[in-house]
Amino acid sequence: MNLKQIAAERAAEYVQDGMKVGLGTGSTAYYAICRIGERVREGLNIQAVATSEASDKLAKEWGIPIVPFDQIGRLDLTIDGADEVDPEFNLIKGGGGALLREKIVAANSDKLIIVADGSKAVQKLGKFPLPVEVVPFASEWTFQALEKLGCQPEWRMDGDQRYLTDNGNLIADCRMEAIEHAAELNVQLNMLPGVVDNGLFINMADTVILAKDDGSIDERHRS
């Protein structure tokens, strides 16, 4: 069992009968969905929404009941991964390209559980490139605005074409090495016309479950 799977399966145990659950996206969330699917096959009764088309497809393959957003209301919890997490539980997400849907689902959840291997824990965010979702219209102007902000953006590519999110938008990965004021940068980015949202998740995570190299679990809760 790999580290991501260890953390994800621990998080899946938080899901209780009757809950409304948000299903994250990415390699770690994949294992959480599989474990939740196993529990559903064992009799767990839940309703769920997914943060990407890939997670939606996986959940349905496992028999997890996916409910339309207009019918499910607020969620009890969401389980998702992260690309970085700092000591204050601030995150960089979006390496899998689903940051906008992930943030919408997280914001409508009573509890956000983040699962990752121990390497994702950092003292300061920023070494992992920060994804920024950008609408295609006049995207070069938005790209220039990101440059002026000092974000050192690069378009994410899919072969020789620009990567498109499930929402039909572009992603600019911003290479900053260190983010000194994450909350301030979050606001600055989202104020730029053409930016849909960015991968900084500020004050959103409630529990972080990290799997260490020795297989043990470091489970942290926001005080």
Side-chain angles (χ1 to χ4, degrees):
M1 186 178 293
N2 65 38
L3 298 181
K4 292 180 178 180
Q5 186 173 0
I6 292 170
E9 295 196 350
R10 169 67 72 87
E13 299 310 310
Y14 276 87
V15 179
Q16 299 177 13
D17 207 60
M19 278 189 168
K20 301 174 182 179
V21 181
L23 306 174
T25 295
S27 56
T28 309
Y30 169 89
Y31 291 112
I33 294 171
C34 292
R35 178 57 189 141
I36 293 169
E38 289 176 346
R39 295 187 60 202
V40 167
R41 291 179 178 180
E42 294 165 0
L44 179 69
N45 178 33
I46 63 169
Q47 294 178 313
V49 296
T51 57
S52 67
E53 293 174 7
S55 292
D56 183 275
K57 180 175 181 289
L58 178 64
K60 288 175 178 175
E61 288 173 354
W62 276 99
I64 299 172
I66 298 295
V67 179
F69 287 93
D70 63 352
Q71 296 178 21
I72 197 167
R74 190 164 178 83
L75 305 176
D76 294 294
L77 63 84
T78 289
I79 299 174
D80 209 343
D83 300 300
E84 286 186 343
V85 52
D86 74 9
E88 285 73 48
F89 286 32
N90 295 317
L91 317 169
I92 286 182
K93 289 177 49 55
L99 66 96
L100 176 60
R101 296 189 183 193
E102 289 172 338
K103 190 174 283 190
I104 291 171
V105 170
N108 287 279
S109 303
D110 290 339
K111 186 183 185 82
L112 175 60
I113 301 175
I114 294 298
V115 291
D117 64 79
S119 69
K120 302 300 191 297
V122 297
Q123 286 302 306
K124 185 178 294 185
L125 300 177
K127 194 164 185 63
F128 188 91
L130 174 64
V132 178
E133 188 157 341
V134 174
V135 295
F137 176 80
S139 59
E140 294 304 333
W141 286 352
T142 309
F143 190 91
Q144 292 167 14
L146 291 170
E147 289 181 317
K148 290 178 182 177
L149 201 57
C151 293
Q152 301 181 52
E154 297 177 4
W155 290 123
R156 185 176 298 185
M157 304 299 291
D158 182 7
D160 59 355
Q161 301 292 320
R162 291 182 184 174
Y163 175 88
L164 289 178
T165 70
D166 286 348
N167 314 300
N169 295 320
L170 307 171
I171 287 186
D173 289 311
C174 297
R175 304 180 183 278
M176 291 174 284
E177 292 300 321
I179 297 174
E180 299 296 337
H181 305 289
E184 180 180 328
L185 179 62
N186 177 52
V187 173
Q188 290 176 321
L189 288 170
N190 287 351
M191 288 294 290
L192 294 177
V195 168
V196 183
D197 214 323
N198 72 88
L200 287 169
F201 283 51
I202 308 298
N203 297 324
M204 298 187 78
D206 299 287
T207 297
V208 174
I209 299 175
L210 301 169
K212 295 183 174 182
D213 288 339
D214 62 3
S216 63
I217 293 289
D218 179 8
E219 190 165 328
R220 308 174 185 180
H221 303 274
R222 182 189 295 277
S223 56

